[in-house]
């Protein structure tokens, strides 16, 4: 069963706290992504990872960093979270030019 | 500038009717196009891809691509209430190593009984 799993699904953090969003996939896909989704803005690419320790900035990387130490896991880290980072975060994975598989998302609220 | 633009922002069609969604790219490097659908509370899910000029039909869904104008459309015939969702157009450059998929802002489709 092809799946992208995100944990946690909901998270509330205070401004200035560190945030760790975790993502796993069971398809051995090389490429993984982190997107954020805000109303009316669609999906914005934060980071893309082409394989273990091979990460590239997307369109909105400021305030975020990522870690990929195993092909099946991709983490998004927010150091000192800000209120404007309140959003729904989606992890996704893909092999070559096939379809992108998305997780169910993590709704992060920074208060 | 938004590289992938979708229209309309929202659309309401009667059950059994035809829904038509549009997408235009401003980047000529984009050659591969995808349509994704997102139901409330879920992640987006791929509907279909189109890489060549012309039509591609999958069940009730037909995509049309015009590479010269970088225009892609999605037509849903016999629309069902379960088709109510947010629809995204996405585009990428050819080549397996680029990986980057750029999304439009989406079209909200409502199918009413």
């Amino acid at each position: 069963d092809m799946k992208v799993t995100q944990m946690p699904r909901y998270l509330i953090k205070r401004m200035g706290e560190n945030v760790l969003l975790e993502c796993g996939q069971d398809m051995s896909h090389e490429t993984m992504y982190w997107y954020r989704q805000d109303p009316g803005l669609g999906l914005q690419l934060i980071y893309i990872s082409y394989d273990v320790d091979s990460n590239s900035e997307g369109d909105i990387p400021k305030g975020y960093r990522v870690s990929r130490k195993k092909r099946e896991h991709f983490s998004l880290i927010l150091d000192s979270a800000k209120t404007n980072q309140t959003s729904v975060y989606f992890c996704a994975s893909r092999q070559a030019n096939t379809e992108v598989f998305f997780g169910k998302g993590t709704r992060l609220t920074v208060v | 500038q938004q590289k992938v633009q979708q229209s309309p922002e929202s659309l309401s069609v009667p059950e059994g009717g035809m829904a038509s969604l549009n997408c235009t790219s401003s980047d000529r490097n984009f050659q591969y196009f995808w349509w994704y659908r997102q139901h409330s509370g879920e992640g987006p899910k791929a509907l279909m891809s189109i890489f060549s000029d012309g039509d591609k039909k999958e069940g009730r869904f037909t995509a049309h691509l015009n590479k010269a104008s970088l225009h892609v459309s999605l037509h849903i015939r016999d629309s069902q209430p379960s088709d109510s969702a947010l629809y995204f157009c996405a585009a990428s450059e050819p080549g397996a190593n680029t990986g980057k998929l750029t999304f439009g802002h989406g079209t909200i489709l409502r199918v009413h009984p």
Side-chain angles (χ1 to χ4, degrees), chain B residues 1-62:
Chain B
Q1 181 192 3
Q2 182 73 7
K3 289 188 175 183
V4 177
Q5 296 178 305
Q6 291 186 241
S7 64
E9 289 186 8
S10 63
L11 179 64
S12 182
V13 300
E15 184 175 355
M18 173 77 82
S20 294
L21 290 68
N22 297 293
C23 173
T24 302
S25 171
S26 60
D27 189 335
R28 291 221 159 261
N29 291 317
F30 289 158
Q31 294 289 306
Y32 293 170
F33 294 88
W34 297 82
W35 285 100
Y36 281 77
R37 180 166 74 177
Q38 183 181 29
H39 286 109
S40 182
E42 298 288 322
K45 184 173 173 55
L47 269 178
M48 59 192 303
S49 62
I50 185 163
F51 302 161
S52 303
D53 274 323
D55 292 337
K56 182 177 181 181
K57 184 178 178 181
E58 292 186 3
R60 296 184 293 110
F61 299 87
T62 300

Side-chain angles (χ1 to χ4, degrees), chain A residues 58-73:
Chain A
D59 298 318
I60 53 163
K62 187 176 179 182
Y64 304 94
R65 60 184 175 93
V66 292
S67 174
R68 192 165 179 203
K69 298 301 182 185
K70 293 183 179 180
R71 178 172 280 191
E72 59 269 23
H73 290 127

Side-chain angles (χ1 to χ4, degrees), chain A residues 9 31 33 35 37 40-43 45 48 50 58-59 90 94 96-100 102-104, chain B residues 32 34 36 38 41-44 46 51 86 88 92 94-101 103-105:
Chain A
R9 291 292 314 277
T31 306
Y33 310 81
Y35 284 90
Q37 183 176 23
L41 294 181
L43 292 156
L45 180 64
I48 180 171
Y50 295 103
D59 298 318
F90 285 99
R94 181 189 204 190
N97 265 331
T98 60
E99 72 174 275
V100 176
F102 283 85
K104 293 191 174 184
Chain B
Y32 293 170
W34 297 82
Y36 281 77
Q38 183 181 29
E42 298 288 322
F51 302 161
L86 178 59
F88 289 109
S92 68
N97 293 329
T98 58
K100 185 177 176 181
L101 202 59
F103 286 80
H105 287 177

